[in-house]
Amino acid sequence: MKQEKRAERNQDAYGLLKPCLERASALQTALILFEWDNETLAPREAGKYTAKVQGALSEAYQEIMTGKNIEKLLEQCRQETGLSEAERAIIREAQEEYDRLVCIPPKEYRDYQELVAESARVWAEAKEQQDFHAFAPTLKRIISYQKKFAGYRAKDGQRLYDVMLDDFEKGFTIKKLDEFFGLLKQELVPFLKKVTQSQVEIRDDFLTGDYPEEKQRELAEFLAEYVGFDFKRGVLSESAHPFTTNLHNHDVRLTTHYKKRVDSSVFSVIHEAGHGIYELGVADELTQTLAGQGASMGMHESQSRFFENMIGRNEAFWEPVYEKLQELFPEELGKISREIFVKAVNKVQPGLIRTEADELTYSLHVLVRYELEKMLIEESLDVEELPKLWADKYEEYLGVRPKNPAEGVLQDIHWAQGSFGYFPSYALGSAFAAQMLQFMKKSMDFEELLRKGELEVIRQVLRRHIHRFGKIRDSRQLLRDMTGEDFEPRYYVEYLKEKYGSLYQVR
Ligand code: ZN
């Protein structure tokens, strides 16, 4: 009976599409593994040679994904009935990937790929020389390609920046993001001024010191495991910038870095573990398919930030754990109480660099980038005007002004890689996380669970409502299904104001 059903299934369109997608997915997995290797273990001179292999693999991937065969099968799949929710999601993702790859003329796409490969080098050099003009012509060309490609894909009068935003976060258009960032600007900019003028002094000098790397590594492994990262299905390595890579739900790889500031690796590793736990929680039936990863960039960032901030920067979290830190670093932390430590890791310091920002100022860094991207794509802002506008906005929102473009407009690699529409996800993630926290607090004593070290209860809720679904549902749908409400940014503002209002005694 079971056998018969499967035989029948092999004849239908989805049954034929599946092995094609499996081949494409195998190539994709190989590409991801090379990326991971490049960032961690590969010798420096391997780059040029590996690039050849990567080129061949990605060409083979494109050939499969844009082939006549796939086009026909996708068409037939759309007529097919009786598919599961997961199968429909896989077909939808395949269709989107097909549309994305097929609408750009191959020659233009190749030229663009070359430009982007070159631009990372131009950007790095310009940043090192603190010379924006050295990068401006390349950036101009990238933007013009990006607008052209978005134009090919725009449906019925869709705005170009909306096309780009949709790649990272479905359902978050310019209109929706204007509301979100408008609220952040209106509420958080004046609130931050009060915080920086507060009389409350928070010392954090002890966080910087001679923290031995070996001990930091031991702590990082301990913390990743403590928050729930499964080392039977994952590894922790080192790289210049911490990141997470997933091959499938039984192979998830984190990296961190070890610096003079001990909290840098502590919170990097909890953050990346949050990304990792998300991927490990994707349902088995989805893994190694196009729907077998986190729902979106923003949803991913919500999980990493939930672990980093809502869990990791919570005083209750450190109750069972802080002694371990004191044992590892008796000279640095032996005389520092838990209360002082937790205050230090929550200190607000408006700065110039996004990746070093505290929890309160983080989304304001993103606000600057959102406003500028929108002007570049929708209002034809001249690239040459970027450094000044960037500096003005930093001064207005954060009260600091970059002295050179390296600590200003040149700090992130995203635009050099052609990633426009990516930045908003960083801020959305924090806001999703706050909405989830607000929902959880209605049904559980969140702090008490942290105090008792019962993180599994919290993880289960996230797995049940978010992780297992992979890409089946988009971020707004997941939020609605979990919390009973559409995306509601007010929870994020309330969360920040309550937390930092109490820490700095302002309202
Ligand atoms: Zn992240």
Side-chain angles (χ1 to χ4, degrees):
M1 176 73 190
K2 228 178 172 181
Q3 281 293 321
E4 246 169 71
K5 207 172 169 199
R6 188 172 296 158
E8 202 178 286
R9 199 59 208 272
N10 278 336
Q11 300 310 311
D12 61 31
Y14 184 72
L16 295 168
L17 178 69
K18 219 176 142 200
C20 297
L21 295 182
E22 278 167 3
R23 268 176 38 230
S25 159
L27 291 164
Q28 197 63 274
T29 307
L31 280 163
I32 293 169
L33 193 52
F34 272 117
E35 268 170 40
W36 156 271
D37 190 54
N38 278 342
E39 298 287 331
T40 51
L41 280 175
R44 196 153 28 130
E45 289 198 7
K48 210 167 66 192
Y49 299 84
T50 309
K52 258 181 158 168
V53 182
Q54 289 172 294
L57 287 171
S58 63
E59 217 174 296
Y61 171 79
Q62 284 202 14
E63 258 169 47
I64 297 179
M65 287 308 293
T66 56
K68 278 273 167 268
N69 195 22
I70 287 256
E71 189 188 2
K72 200 176 76 213
L73 289 172
L74 282 171
E75 166 101 46
Q76 289 168 0
C77 279
R78 281 201 298 273
Q79 325 292 333
E80 203 159 75
T81 51
L83 294 167
S84 70
E85 196 187 14
E87 289 168 339
R88 282 200 307 275
I90 292 165
I91 293 166
R92 185 198 63 222
E93 292 297 319
Q95 183 72 56
E96 280 176 15
E97 183 74 343
Y98 173 83
D99 292 343
R100 195 175 63 82
L101 291 170
V102 90
C103 69
I104 300 166
K107 162 116 183 46
E108 265 175 42
Y109 193 70
R110 253 199 323 275
D111 291 348
Y112 173 71
Q113 290 297 346
E114 266 171 38
L115 172 65
V116 171
E118 173 71 4
S119 91
R121 194 190 55 76
V122 177
W123 165 78
E125 228 173 82
K127 185 174 171 182
E128 180 149 352
Q129 302 296 320
Q130 306 182 356
D131 178 10
F132 179 73
H133 301 292
F135 178 56
T138 306
L139 181 58
K140 246 182 234 176
R141 288 179 61 206
I142 289 178
I143 292 171
S144 123
Y145 269 114
Q146 278 292 326
K147 287 169 83 165
K148 204 160 158 193
F149 293 167
Y152 292 146
R153 296 163 56 205
K155 295 183 191 100
D156 345 292
Q158 199 183 8
R159 293 163 82 177
L160 297 183
Y161 191 41
D162 275 337
V163 177
M164 300 174 191
L165 289 167
D166 204 59
D167 282 344
F168 298 98
E169 213 61 49
K170 282 188 191 129
F172 286 88
T173 55
I174 300 172
K175 186 167 170 279
K176 192 90 193 145
L177 289 174
D178 278 349
E179 282 168 28
F180 172 53
F181 284 110
L183 179 73
L184 298 188
K185 186 149 108 176
Q186 180 195 330
E187 296 281 343
L188 296 184
V189 171
F191 181 69
L192 175 63
K193 287 213 171 82
K194 285 188 205 159
V195 166
T196 50
Q197 284 159 11
S198 155
Q199 300 300 311
V200 174
E201 290 275 357
I202 292 178
R203 60 173 287 218
D204 66 344
D205 50 297
F206 54 87
L207 291 177
T208 309
D210 260 337
Y211 286 90
E213 208 174 298
E214 263 318 298
K215 299 272 167 123
Q216 287 201 53
R217 191 170 296 116
E218 189 183 332
L219 177 63
E221 281 162 13
F222 167 78
L223 284 172
E225 190 157 15
Y226 183 80
V227 299
F229 185 70
D230 179 359
F231 277 98
K232 293 192 295 301
R233 296 187 287 152
V235 296
L236 173 64
S237 182
E238 283 166 51
S239 63
H241 299 285
F243 69 97
T244 299
T245 293
N246 60 301
L247 303 184
H248 44 72
N249 72 357
H250 282 68
D251 189 343
V252 178
R253 301 168 182 220
L254 319 179
T255 72
T256 188
H257 55 199
Y258 303 107
K259 304 214 156 176
K260 287 249 168 279
R261 257 193 88 114
V262 71
D263 58 332
S264 177
S265 86
V266 162
F267 291 100
S268 291
V269 85
I270 299 178
H271 178 101
E272 299 307 327
H275 281 303
I277 288 164
Y278 188 178
E279 291 296 340
L280 291 172
V282 170
D284 283 336
E285 63 164 337
L286 293 174
T287 197
Q288 296 188 303
T289 74
L290 285 168
Q293 298 95 41
S296 68
M297 251 301 295
M299 194 46 80
H300 238 296
E301 213 47 31
S302 81
Q303 298 308 287
S304 55
R305 289 192 181 267
F306 193 93
F307 277 87
E308 178 191 345
N309 295 325
M310 277 77 180
I311 293 178
R313 290 185 206 269
N314 196 313
E315 175 158 20
F317 171 81
W318 290 101
E319 261 194 53
V321 179
Y322 188 63
E323 249 177 47
K324 168 100 184 165
L325 245 72
Q326 289 183 308
E327 277 165 28
L328 280 169
F329 309 109
E331 273 169 41
E332 292 81 4
L333 298 177
K335 291 197 175 67
I336 303 293
S337 73
R338 188 180 70 236
E339 201 195 349
I340 291 180
F341 173 80
V342 174
K343 280 188 174 166
V345 299
N346 281 295
K347 185 173 181 170
V348 174
Q349 276 165 315
L352 293 164
I353 307 298
R354 176 184 60 86
T355 54
E356 292 166 9
D358 58 74
E359 193 183 3
L360 178 60
T361 55
Y362 188 81
S363 63
L364 300 178
H365 290 259
V366 182
L367 166 67
V368 171
R369 289 153 178 80
Y370 171 69
E371 291 187 340
L372 292 175
E373 274 191 357
K374 205 170 67 168
M375 291 169 84
L376 284 168
I377 307 299
E378 291 293 325
E379 296 161 30
S380 308
L381 169 72
D382 183 0
V383 161
E384 297 288 345
E385 286 178 52
L386 269 179
K388 183 178 179 303
L389 271 174
W390 180 287
D392 289 348
K393 285 185 188 290
Y394 260 79
E395 194 159 11
E396 187 186 343
Y397 305 155
L398 288 134
V400 290
R401 192 174 182 92
K403 284 188 216 63
N404 63 64
E407 56 181 30
V409 66
L410 285 175
Q411 68 183 267
D412 304 299
I413 194 172
H414 301 59
W415 290 343
Q417 291 174 327
S419 292
F420 288 85
Y422 190 137
F423 283 122
S425 299
Y426 286 121
L428 285 171
S430 301
F432 295 170
Q435 185 167 342
M436 289 176 202
L437 179 68
Q438 198 268 351
F439 163 77
M440 279 190 198
K441 282 189 164 176
K442 283 194 280 194
S443 64
M444 58 172 67
D445 190 340
F446 189 76
E447 258 95 30
E448 185 60 17
L449 290 170
L450 295 183
R451 226 168 267 129
K452 288 203 226 141
E454 290 177 9
L455 273 66
E456 174 59 15
V457 181
I458 298 167
R459 275 197 308 275
Q460 268 175 15
V461 175
L462 295 171
R463 207 179 304 134
R464 187 165 71 237
H465 291 286
I466 310 288
H467 302 175
R468 66 189 173 104
F469 290 108
K471 271 182 181 302
I472 289 185
R473 302 175 186 174
D474 66 29
S475 50
R476 270 173 86 177
Q477 184 70 43
L478 287 167
L479 276 178
R480 263 199 302 270
D481 292 346
M482 180 184 193
T483 68
E485 283 179 277
D486 198 354
F487 172 55
E488 181 43 81
R490 291 217 162 262
Y491 294 128
Y492 178 43
V493 171
E494 279 164 18
Y495 159 81
L496 289 173
K497 283 189 154 178
E498 197 187 303
K499 177 172 174 178
Y500 291 95
S502 125
L503 186 60
Y504 282 91
Q505 293 163 25
V506 294
R507 309 187 52 163

